[in-house]
Every structure is written in C-alpha cells, then in structure tokens.
Amino acid sequence: MHTPKYLIIPNWLLFILFVILSSLPETETGIYVQTIFSLVILIWIIKVDEELYLRIKGRPSISINLLTFCLVVSFFYVTFIWLFTEGYQINTEKDNYAEYGWMMYVYLSGSIFVIASFLYGIHFTAYSIHVLEDQYFGKKTDYGYLLAALFVFPIGMWWIQPKINRILRVPLEDKLDISDNRN
C-alpha cells in the first residue's frame, strides 16, 4: 500500500509555506487565513505522524491517540486566544490578576499544555524517524539530533523532511500485519 502523495512534500516547499504563514499581516483577515492554514498544517502533521506510526514494528512506546489529542486541543486553545482575546501578556511588571482575574490561571495552564504538546510532538516524530530509519535502512540517526532539528522548526525541516519523505516512499506493509491493536 502506498502513501498518499500529499504527505510527501519537498522540504523547500514546506519551509516556504511556513515562512508565508508567519509573515501574514496581523489584521483580522490575516488571522483568519493563518487559522485556516494552521488547521491544514495540523491535519497534515497528524496524517504524516499516523503514517510513521503505522510503519513501526512491534509495540512502540509512543501513542498516536495522545499525540492527536494534544495537537488538536493545543490548536483550539491557540485559535481561541488569537480570535477571541486578542492575545494576552502575563509578566512581572504589572498586576496580572487585576487585569485577567481568574482567567490568568486558564491562560497559564493552557500555555503550559501547549508547550508540553509541542515537546511530545517533537519526541513522537523524532522517535518514529529514529526507529524507522534503523528498521528500514539499517541506519541509526541520533535521536538527540532529530529532537534538536525539530525544535528549531521550521529551519530543522531542511534536514528532517527528506528523512520523512524517504521513509514514506517505502510501501506500507499489509495493514493486518502492522495494526496490532495499538493505542
């Protein structure tokens, strides 16, 4: 079974898309375009990680369900902040509680969750690439190198995306053999 072509994107195109996304003006229309484009990228990231996950033999120590939950909740939290609160700024130079009230704790908790989701997302992808390169090609890519490259996203995509594309070009084995009721 072959991977859908829309999942295999050249690294230069992916980099350009992220540069365009981050350079859109912060007008109302720009924020809506960024939100829609971010949703498309989120779906693409989840689909790529699902394809990587399905290829790992045995019982991986990562969870695609947890990854999907974390990324979707983080997306909706950030979207809510962008669209409905016009952002927030919590710092030590002002009385944050007087300005935000009890919502300050929601903002802080949500921000911590987004950071944890980001870290789990880069761990998931780095672990998948690390295992699959060894499994398919007998090549051991350093897990720390992969984490560092993903951490400096989107610049790290120049090194990571070719690895993902190479893995995704390998035909997926029969799904009955691979999907052994993983969580």
Side-chain angles (χ1 to χ4, degrees):
M1 187 166 166
H2 291 284
T3 304
K5 294 290 182 198
Y6 64 86
L7 294 181
I8 300 174
I9 297 176
N11 54 351
W12 60 267
L13 179 59
L14 192 62
F15 183 78
I16 289 170
L17 291 173
F18 281 110
V19 168
I20 290 171
L21 175 65
S22 64
S23 65
L24 288 174
E26 291 192 21
T27 62
E28 187 173 340
T29 305
I31 289 175
Y32 290 132
V33 170
Q34 280 181 330
T35 302
I36 292 168
F37 188 69
S38 296
L39 180 61
V40 170
I41 292 296
L42 172 71
I43 293 168
W44 177 79
I45 288 170
I46 290 172
K47 296 307 284 178
V48 167
D49 281 330
E50 281 178 1
E51 284 289 323
L52 293 174
Y53 182 78
L54 286 174
R55 295 165 188 273
I56 298 174
K57 291 184 176 149
R59 189 146 177 87
S61 63
I62 53 178
S63 171
I64 189 67
N65 294 334
L66 178 62
L67 175 73
T68 302
F69 173 78
C70 288
L71 293 179
V72 169
V73 169
S74 295
F75 171 78
F76 283 115
Y77 171 76
V78 171
T79 300
F80 177 80
I81 296 298
W82 277 352
L83 297 178
F84 300 113
T85 68
E86 298 178 10
Y88 64 89
Q89 183 180 11
I90 296 177
N91 60 41
T92 58
E93 296 174 5
K94 62 181 179 179
D95 185 6
N96 296 307
Y97 191 79
E99 184 172 344
Y100 298 111
W102 62 273
M103 285 299 291
M104 176 180 74
Y105 300 111
V106 173
Y107 294 153
L108 286 174
S109 300
S111 297
I112 291 169
F113 182 81
V114 168
I115 292 168
S117 296
F118 172 74
L119 293 175
Y120 185 69
I122 64 173
H123 161 69
F124 186 99
T125 305
Y127 176 82
S128 298
I129 294 169
H130 174 73
V131 168
L132 289 170
E133 281 202 329
D134 185 31
Q135 178 181 310
Y136 283 166
F137 313 115
K139 178 182 175 188
K140 292 195 184 257
T141 304
D142 184 37
Y143 172 75
Y145 162 78
L146 295 168
L147 278 177
L150 286 166
F151 190 76
V152 292
F153 186 82
I155 295 169
M157 291 310 293
W158 283 99
W159 297 279
I160 298 299
Q161 190 60 30
K163 293 178 180 302
I164 292 172
N165 289 345
R166 182 175 172 208
I167 291 168
L168 294 182
R169 283 191 183 99
V170 174
L172 185 61
E173 295 174 10
D174 187 7
K175 286 202 176 206
L176 295 174
D177 295 337
I178 295 177
S179 61
D180 52 298
N181 202 8
R182 297 184 206 166
N183 292 329

